[in-house]
């Protein structure tokens, strides 16, 4: 769970950034941001749309898409995943790393002072400048493991580690 003061802080940041950029704070935009700010699911646009629609029946998927990319342009959400396909949005802008389930796509944040101080190989500089680095730990989450254990006893594959450069 994301605690209430963290969500409140994200909303205040959103209001300040929108005001500074001259972006109109419509009820729809506020609700869409609130949904991302209160979620630890790293939702994609369709997932945000499904939840927001229960509160705002007139909202369209197109509005959700445009609002999420607006939030991205304002620097209020980060994205993960490939550009094409299902881009996912993350309102946690503090340095953190991800656990991603290779079966269901569950994504969770974790922090690590050691990983924040990761020693990036000098060879990376030949690709370009470094803005940030985060580690994506992949594995099979508990729910998926329990589901396959119920179906057939199989050995879980070891988690892979991969450091990715963010742009
Ligand atoms: Zn899973
Ligand atoms: Zn995250």
């Amino acid at each position: 769970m994301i605690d209430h003061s963290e969500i409140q802080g994200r909303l205040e940041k959103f209001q300040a950034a929108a005001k500074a950029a001259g972006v109109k704070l419509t009820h729809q935009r506020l609700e869409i941001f609130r949904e991302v700010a209160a979620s630890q699911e790293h939702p994609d646009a369709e997932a945000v749309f499904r939840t927001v629609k229960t509160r705002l029946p007139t909202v369209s998927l197109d509005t959700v898409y445009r609002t999420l990319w607006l939030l991205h342009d304002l620097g209020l959400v980060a994205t993960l995943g490939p550009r094409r396909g299902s881009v996912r949005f993350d309102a946690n802008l503090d340095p953190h790393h991800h656990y991603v389930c290779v079966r269901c796509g569950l994504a969770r944040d974790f922090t690590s002072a050691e990983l924040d101080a990761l020693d990036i190989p000098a060879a990376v500089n030949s690709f370009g400048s470094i803005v940030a680095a985060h580690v994506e730990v992949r594995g099979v989450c508990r729910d998926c493991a329990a589901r396959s254990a119920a179906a057939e006893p199989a050995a879980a594959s070891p988690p892979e580690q991969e450091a990715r450069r963010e742009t």
Side-chain angles (χ1 to χ4, degrees):
M1 278 300 289
I2 298 168
D3 70 86
H4 186 72
S5 62
E6 172 67 31
I7 297 169
Q8 205 51 43
R10 290 175 182 181
L11 284 169
E12 279 161 23
K13 220 164 147 187
F14 169 56
Q15 279 156 345
K19 203 176 163 195
V23 169
K24 224 173 123 202
L25 258 188
T26 62
H27 183 54
Q28 285 194 340
R29 284 176 177 163
L30 195 62
E31 283 300 317
I32 290 164
F33 182 68
R34 190 196 305 276
E35 188 54 41
V36 184
S39 174
Q40 56 173 1
E41 304 296 333
H42 300 75
D44 62 15
E46 275 86 4
V48 173
F49 173 65
R50 278 194 299 274
T51 339
V52 170
K53 205 173 162 44
T54 63
R55 294 197 298 274
L56 302 172
T58 59
V59 79
S60 68
L61 178 59
D62 188 55
T63 299
V64 171
Y65 264 111
R66 277 187 285 111
T67 303
L68 289 169
W69 285 112
L70 172 72
L71 293 167
H72 184 260
D73 291 344
L74 290 172
L76 293 163
V77 295
T79 55
L80 58 152
R83 273 248 153 186
R84 287 168 187 282
S86 178
V87 173
R88 304 174 70 171
F89 295 86
D90 190 354
N92 183 359
L93 298 174
D94 294 329
H96 68 282
H97 308 275
H98 289 127
Y99 175 85
V100 177
C101 174
V102 296
R103 291 209 191 139
C104 70
L106 166 132
R108 286 288 180 272
D109 294 340
F110 68 93
T111 56
S112 159
E114 287 83 2
L115 293 179
D116 291 346
L118 205 61
D119 211 2
I120 307 294
V124 174
N125 289 311
S126 69
F127 304 133
S129 71
I130 295 163
V131 177
H134 90 270
V135 173
E136 183 175 294
V137 178
R138 294 182 190 159
V140 176
C141 76
R142 285 166 177 273
D143 284 352
C144 287
R147 231 170 278 135
S148 61
E152 51 170 318
S157 52
E160 294 169 46
Q161 276 204 8
E162 172 184 280
R164 282 207 331 217
R165 189 177 136 265
E166 287 178 355
T167 48

